[in-house]
Amino acid sequence: TSFVGREPELAAVRADVRAFRLVTLTGPGGSGKTRLAEEAAAALAPAWLVELAPLERPEAVPDAVVSALGLRETVLLNTELAAQHDDPTALLIEYCAPRTQLLVLDNCEHVIDAAAALAETLLTHCPGLTILATSREPLGVPGESVRPVEPLAPEQAHRLFAERAKAARPDADVLGDTAAVAEICRRLDGLPLAIELAAARLRLLTPRQIADRLDDRFRLLTSGSRTVLPRQQTLRAVVDWSWDLLDERERTVLREVSVFAGGWDLAAAEAVCTGPAAELIGALVDKSLVVATPDAPGAPGGMRYRMLETIHEYATERAADTPGLRAAAERRHRAWVRSLVERAEPLLRSAEQLPWIARLETDLDNIRAALDRAVRDGDEAEAGAIVLAMGWFWWLRNHRREAVTWTRRVLRLGIALDALGDGAAPEGGLPALMESADIVGALLAAPDGERGHPLRTLRMDLRMSDLFLTTEGRIARLTDNERGPRYIALVRSAYAHGGPHAARLPGMTWPLTAYYLGGPGDAGRDLDPAVANCRKYGGDWEVGVMLMFRTHALVDSPGNLHGVDEDLAELRTLSRRVGDRWMRAQVCSAAGETAMARGRYAEARDEYAEALRLAYEVGAYAESPFLLARLGEIAYRAGDRDGALAHLAAAETAADRYAVTEAHAFALMMRASIALNDGRTAEARELYDATFEATRGEAAPPQFAAALRTVEALLTAAESGPEHGLPIVAEALETAVAMRCAEWITGGLVDTAAGLLARLGDLPGAVRLYEAADRWRDGRPRSEPERTEAARVLAGARAALPAERYAAERARGAGYGPAQVLADIRRAHTAATRR
């Protein structure tokens, strides 16, 4: 059954045996090398199998071959031959030299030197002889062809498990739990022996019970066949056999590399291991205890090393026998991780970012392991340094929830350590204190109480990073706690005064605290001093990011985009100089938003398309749903309904894939607008309700809130009459003005109100409001469908009203501010409801 699905491999071994005189099958214990050799030899008779595993002395190898060939009995029966052949090697040469035959030397690893010497001697003197050997490592004989026997592929492993399951439980369907079977095969690394031992356990356990117990696989996977050698009867015995063949230096390095999670490269091994890493890792690769594979595309290049999960668990268990060695290796591993992430951190924001992003992605498991151990060991300084160095990577690559989790774990660690220092440890010590720490309450007084504390700057940076990371998404917000605003103000005050610390991450993000303490509009007043501080103390990237924040704020604030073009021009220069694709994408996005506000849809489409390309290139996948949704909105505003729906569908798919709830809500809202404009009111109501539900409990940006209220007003008007939509528009306009939304936002709300007045027959009022909206937007053109609606209403007003009246209403509306617009809307609502 070990050959289920392995027919191509078997054919390849037979072809090798025909083409080469020495073929060695290598691989870890339990990989099925012996069975593969036996099956290959069966079709290549005459062949003899020599089992070397029982041998305890290397010098017994020639005698074992003599016995396997049946020559021992021949010699004993012939006294003259016995006198001539005290040397078994000479006897073998005499016997094999004139013959054509295949000799299978099985399990050479523990007598590798003797097996290699005999093989070379026989091949030199016996031209018709071919040797097929199995070993954990190559024999190292000239002319040797080495064929690694890899663990079973997932499909092969599943088929083997199924066959052995039928033998263990022929009366039951134990394969229905396909997820558990797949987990068993994966976690046992596709090793045939381990899979057969697991299948044998089906007499007692279900597949799920087996899978759940694989953390203790060496105790679970026992009771193999009684007819095989003792070292093949249990999984532990198989791995023990390999361990016993190592010298002390190899055992030490295997214990040390057990601290790695998910693999390592040679430089990492050199940083963690105490011996000559290249030599010893190479020896472990040769012995099939470590797997070497080329780096993935995009990674720095070279080889990457890993252990099969079974070997890793065994090595970890052996390392626990020497706790001092294990602890020292963990400390060196932590130091290596910190060095890696601190080296990568500035390069993630440069033209060199792509290979460094790939490098950190490759070593994420190692980074997580180092962080977990640092927190477990109470090493606040090391854990905090790693978290801060990883912050931008986590943000960029959409690991934001993980970032918040680690940041808060380290913050809780600081609280717990301070409590332990005061002798206030509860039962359970540090872990118990960390679990019970109130992330807001316990930290509230800390910024003042930490003056002079050696870790004060680190802790403050962690708090600022936490605030930055939670400005978006459905992560528990600190403002949910009634003491949160005071805490946020204390953190903000550590950076608002400026200086070098406020000109680099995470301190430079302090203006965003306005999203907690006031509103997005309040962030604008802080951006000018923040930009100036970064110009003084920061680099091009820091200046560019702050200018980008300011550009977005200018687009969203009153002022009709004054100053935006100057910032965009500088941003383009800075982003090209820095080379950061994320920054370039943000610049294109800001330029696209500016073009949209000005009604330049073709220009906006090109900018957003380039931003999307750059976001994909850098792997900033959390950005893509927003950009796709924006492309959908642009298509809709430009009159391309079908194109809009296609982009919005893609945006929803991407938002679901990358868990970007806000982008999904925006796409739903746009689809609701399109359905409403098409006259599909019931569908629009469903989409609006879904949008509202998606944003429930979230502090939505005021621009989005205004757009959503616009949909609500028009939907209500379609369902219940235009007079019922007017109060919603009035409330939305009042809020947008209070939140200091840009004129293209407030003007759009006024356009909506004008359209509702026209439906009520108040054409003079509609003319006034359309004129007011035109003046607020500084004459910039409307988008669709508002453009078509306004043209239709105004054409009807010109036809219905005397020219003087029409001109007078326009002149009156031209002087309207928000108060006059709101008064007209409320007056029209009152009049309509009295009818």
Side-chain angles (χ1 to χ4, degrees):
T1 55
S2 292
F3 292 94
V4 171
R6 274 194 149 170
E7 293 81 5
E9 192 171 3
L10 181 60
V13 172
R14 287 173 176 162
D16 282 352
V17 170
R18 294 188 182 98
F20 301 95
R21 296 189 61 210
L22 173 60
V23 178
T24 303
L25 307 181
T26 63
S31 60
K33 300 184 298 296
T34 295
R35 296 186 196 181
L36 185 58
E38 290 174 347
E39 188 74 11
L44 299 168
W48 283 263
L49 173 68
V50 184
E51 175 53 72
L52 301 180
L55 302 186
E56 297 181 359
R57 298 178 298 109
E59 54 268 27
V61 170
D63 282 317
V65 180
V66 167
S67 297
L69 291 173
L71 300 181
R72 180 80 54 202
E73 293 77 10
T74 303
V75 170
L76 288 174
L77 291 171
N78 191 317
T79 304
E80 184 179 350
L81 283 175
Q84 294 175 0
H85 292 294
D86 289 336
D87 181 359
T89 301
L91 176 60
L92 289 171
I93 292 172
E94 181 176 322
Y95 178 79
C96 295
R99 291 175 169 82
T100 299
Q101 57 193 353
L102 173 65
L103 194 62
V104 180
L105 301 179
D106 191 32
N107 294 301
C108 298
E109 53 270 356
H110 64 306
V111 288
I112 189 78
D113 292 333
L118 179 64
E120 185 170 11
T121 298
L122 293 178
L123 292 171
T124 301
H125 295 91
C126 307
L129 179 67
T130 299
I131 295 177
L132 175 60
T134 73
S135 177
R136 307 288 168 89
E137 59 182 309
L139 298 188
V141 174
E144 177 184 28
S145 173
V146 179
R147 176 168 287 277
V149 178
E150 302 292 343
L152 297 173
E155 181 183 354
Q156 297 169 320
H158 194 285
R159 289 173 62 188
L160 173 59
F161 187 88
E163 293 235 356
R164 301 314 301 148
K166 290 176 184 176
R169 293 284 301 278
D171 58 329
D173 178 16
V174 296
L175 298 174
D177 191 347
T178 56
V181 173
E183 183 179 345
I184 291 168
C185 295
R186 174 182 58 79
R187 294 197 59 197
L188 292 178
D189 308 302
L191 295 174
L193 174 62
I195 290 168
E196 291 185 3
L197 291 172
R201 281 297 183 191
L202 289 170
R203 299 185 185 96
L204 302 172
L205 303 170
T206 66
R208 173 44 56 196
Q209 288 174 314
I210 293 172
D212 290 343
R213 286 163 173 77
L214 286 181
D215 284 341
D216 196 8
R217 67 190 66 195
F218 295 112
R219 182 176 296 179
L220 176 70
L221 302 182
T222 59
S223 304
S225 171
R226 293 188 178 92
T227 63
V228 299
L229 293 167
R231 68 177 182 81
Q232 294 176 334
Q233 291 182 6
T234 70
L235 186 60
R236 178 178 293 281
V238 170
V239 188
D240 278 340
W241 170 266
S242 295
W243 176 264
D244 291 339
L245 296 177
L246 301 178
D247 63 32
E248 195 53 42
R249 294 193 314 161
E250 291 167 342
R251 291 176 185 175
T252 296
V253 78
L254 195 63
R255 287 182 173 110
E256 289 173 331
V257 296
S258 71
V259 302
F260 287 106
W264 67 91
D265 60 15
L266 185 56
E270 290 171 337
V272 170
C273 300
T274 51
E279 173 190 338
L280 295 172
I281 295 295
L284 294 175
V285 171
D286 287 341
K287 291 176 171 60
S288 303
L289 291 172
V290 168
V291 179
T293 53
D295 259 333
M303 300 298 288
R304 191 160 180 86
Y305 308 96
R306 64 181 177 87
M307 287 185 278
L308 300 180
E309 185 175 336
T310 297
I311 304 300
H312 187 269
E313 182 178 328
Y314 184 89
T316 302
E317 184 180 299
R318 286 289 188 170
D321 296 337
T322 55
L325 182 150
R326 170 76 183 193
E330 286 184 354
R331 287 193 296 271
R332 292 191 296 272
H333 177 263
R334 197 150 66 226
W336 165 74
V337 165
R338 178 175 178 177
S339 175
L340 171 68
V341 299
E342 289 184 339
R343 182 184 176 195
E345 197 266 346
L347 296 171
L348 296 174
R349 303 189 297 275
S350 74
E352 302 175 55
Q353 65 195 163
L354 295 185
W356 283 99
I357 289 171
R359 177 64 186 276
L360 292 187
E361 287 282 3
T362 299
D363 274 308
L364 265 181
D365 287 337
N366 277 312
I367 293 164
R368 289 164 179 151
L371 274 171
D372 190 63
R373 292 169 189 148
V375 173
R376 178 198 66 195
D377 293 345
D379 192 343
E380 182 184 3
E382 200 85 343
I386 294 171
V387 165
L388 289 175
M390 283 292 291
W392 186 249
F393 171 86
W394 281 326
W395 172 270
L396 182 68
R397 298 289 285 180
N398 198 30
H399 298 296
R400 297 173 190 179
R401 290 181 181 274
E402 180 178 3
V404 172
T405 298
W406 283 116
T407 302
R408 294 189 173 182
R409 279 191 71 186
V410 180
L411 286 170
R412 287 188 173 95
L413 173 62
I415 300 168
L417 289 172
D418 286 349
L420 284 172
D422 294 338
E427 184 178 351
L430 184 62
L433 275 171
M434 288 180 63
E435 288 300 319
S436 64
D438 172 4
I439 197 64
V440 177
L443 285 173
L444 253 176
D448 291 330
E450 287 173 1
R451 288 176 183 170
H453 194 291
L455 293 173
R456 183 179 187 277
T457 299
L458 173 75
R459 292 176 176 181
M460 194 61 71
D461 278 352
L462 288 167
R463 296 179 187 114
M464 189 68 249
S465 182
D466 179 70
L467 291 178
F468 169 63
L469 290 164
T470 53
T471 53
E472 293 183 8
R474 286 178 172 270
I475 301 168
R477 296 176 180 273
L478 292 174
T479 46
D480 292 343
N481 187 299
E482 61 182 12
R483 295 168 291 177
R486 182 181 160 220
Y487 165 67
I488 295 164
L490 287 169
V491 176
R492 170 190 171 90
S493 67
Y495 303 93
H497 64 279
H501 206 56
R504 64 174 184 266
L505 284 173
M508 59 184 286
T509 64
W510 69 267
L512 299 182
T513 55
Y515 282 83
Y516 291 108
L517 298 175
D522 295 325
R525 66 173 182 270
D526 296 326
L527 288 171
D528 286 345
V531 169
N533 189 63
C534 284
R535 290 192 192 280
K536 185 174 181 180
Y537 296 107
D540 285 345
W541 188 88
E542 290 77 14
V543 173
V545 168
M546 297 314 297
L547 281 174
M548 181 264 295
F549 285 159
R550 188 167 73 180
T551 299
H552 282 296
L554 288 171
V555 171
D556 292 337
S557 302
N560 278 310
L561 308 177
H562 177 72
V564 166
D565 294 324
E566 293 81 355
D567 279 357
L568 280 175
E570 184 178 2
L571 273 170
R572 292 190 192 279
T573 300
L574 288 173
S575 64
R576 284 192 294 268
R577 194 154 66 214
V578 171
D580 176 6
R581 294 160 183 80
W582 174 85
M583 176 182 278
R584 288 166 56 197
Q586 292 296 312
V587 173
C588 290
S589 178
E593 192 173 0
T594 302
M596 279 189 67
R598 289 170 169 162
R600 301 173 185 171
Y601 297 112
E603 179 184 333
R605 182 188 61 242
D606 291 345
E607 293 286 1
Y608 277 118
E610 177 65 5
L612 183 64
R613 184 190 71 79
L614 289 164
Y616 280 138
E617 186 176 344
V618 79
Y621 300 119
E623 308 287 346
S624 61
F626 286 105
L627 296 171
L628 286 165
R630 283 295 199 186
L631 286 169
E633 182 184 14
I634 290 167
Y636 179 53
R637 300 302 180 195
D640 180 6
R641 175 186 174 280
D642 292 340
L645 289 173
H647 281 302
L648 292 172
E652 287 187 62
T653 300
D656 289 341
R657 180 176 181 182
Y658 302 116
V660 187
T661 309
E662 299 85 346
H664 194 173
F666 183 82
L668 285 171
M669 181 190 70
M670 288 303 307
R671 287 178 54 211
S673 294
I674 295 171
L676 190 59
N677 192 57
D678 289 347
R680 291 175 284 117
T681 306
E683 181 182 344
R685 169 57 69 183
E686 290 180 7
L687 290 166
Y688 169 81
D689 290 344
T691 307
F692 186 80
E693 187 61 32
T695 57
R696 184 187 296 275
E698 295 295 311
Q703 298 79 18
F704 177 84
L708 188 59
R709 295 306 301 276
T710 298
V711 174
E712 180 188 1
L714 292 173
L715 184 58
T716 303
E719 293 171 334
S720 307
E723 66 275 16
H724 296 287
L726 286 174
I728 301 172
V729 178
E731 183 180 338
L733 177 60
E734 200 166 29
T735 301
V737 170
M739 296 295 288
R740 302 189 71 251
C741 285
E743 291 85 357
W744 61 278
I745 298 292
T746 54
L749 288 166
V750 176
D751 281 344
T752 300
L756 294 178
L757 260 62
R759 293 188 211 178
L760 289 169
D762 185 359
L763 292 178
V767 171
R768 291 194 299 272
L769 295 194
Y770 276 131
E771 184 66 23
D774 283 340
R775 296 303 176 102
W776 290 12
R777 282 191 297 256
D778 201 22
R780 292 190 176 90
R782 294 179 174 85
S783 59
E784 292 295 348
E786 291 80 10
R787 179 189 305 164
T788 298
E789 170 77 356
R792 183 186 63 78
V793 170
L794 291 174
R798 279 193 296 270
L801 298 175
E804 297 81 4
R805 176 76 186 276
Y806 183 85
E809 298 298 348
R810 284 192 59 192
R812 186 178 169 192
Y816 269 16
Q820 290 84 3
V821 169
L822 287 167
D824 269 14
I825 295 172
R826 287 168 178 146
R827 194 161 36 245
H829 174 252
T830 300
T833 54
R834 285 177 178 171
R835 293 172 188 168

